[in-house]
Amino acid sequence: MRIPVLDRINELSRMQNGGGLTEEERLEQASLREEYLGYIRGQVKTMMRSVSVMDEHGKDVTPLKLAAEKFAQGDHN
């Protein structure tokens, strides 16, 4: 899957290494990086909601905070 902002982040990074960025480009770069980090955080949260932790006896020992988050998202299993 291609993340659109990643192409521009990489382009700005190459420009920065090649000779520098204008103030406007630095601000754009910072904004795009925050947007990208938000995307990554969302992906990690989605992945974590699908995790259940089991002990060696097969008992569900998922941390309460994660279990509550899963329940809030509609996963009642």
Side-chain angles (χ1 to χ4, degrees):
M1 181 169 117
R2 196 92 185 132
I3 303 168
V5 298
L6 198 51
D7 290 334
R8 182 63 177 154
I9 289 170
N10 289 333
E11 180 182 352
L12 289 167
S13 180
R14 285 189 295 275
M15 290 169 59
Q16 184 177 24
N17 293 334
L21 298 174
T22 65
E23 183 62 26
E24 183 178 311
E25 289 167 333
R26 277 193 292 276
L27 292 173
E28 178 187 8
Q29 184 181 46
S31 175
L32 291 172
R33 285 178 174 168
E34 284 302 313
E35 181 179 342
Y36 179 68
L37 287 174
Y39 172 80
I40 297 299
R41 288 182 186 113
Q43 292 297 312
V44 170
K45 285 181 180 183
T46 298
M47 181 186 68
M48 291 304 295
R49 285 186 197 113
S50 69
V51 170
S52 292
V53 181
M54 308 301 264
D55 69 9
E56 61 274 4
H57 304 290
K59 181 181 176 190
D60 187 346
V61 293
T62 303
L64 292 177
K65 185 174 181 179
L66 177 56
E69 178 72 21
K70 288 171 68 170
F71 187 82
Q73 293 298 316
D75 184 5
H76 302 280
N77 296 325

